[in-house]
Amino acid sequence: MRNPKDIVKLDVPLLLRILEFAREDASSDEELHKIASNIVELSSVAGVLGMIDYEAILGGEEQLAERKQMMIRAGIIK
């Protein structure tokens, strides 16, 4: 059985900001993999990500969980 494809959707300002971070500020491949994982996780529940999601994407588990709670309260996800 094949693994499902991970698909992410980002608006252009967020895409540019993440590319800038990867080029200028990322300290390791491990950090980039964690950011990619956060993007996949958020995009799977929220659809298109925007600049409002930037801190959660770059942050740790706490910021990610906080952003998901905000989405639940806003009715974006259940």
Side-chain angles (χ1 to χ4, degrees), residues 10-63:
L10 311 171
D11 67 12
V12 173
L14 178 60
L15 174 63
L16 291 173
R17 181 68 62 91
I18 289 171
L19 291 172
E20 288 170 357
F21 175 84
R23 181 172 186 226
E24 299 169 4
D25 300 320
S27 59
S28 67
D29 282 347
E30 186 176 287
E31 185 175 20
L32 292 175
H33 285 272
K34 179 62 180 160
I35 289 168
S37 176
N38 288 350
I39 291 170
V40 168
E41 187 174 343
L42 274 178
S43 189
S44 71
V45 295
V48 180
L49 302 180
M51 284 303 297
I52 193 167
D53 302 300
Y54 183 74
E55 293 299 321
I57 290 168
L58 264 59
E61 294 297 319
E62 186 176 312
Q63 287 91 345

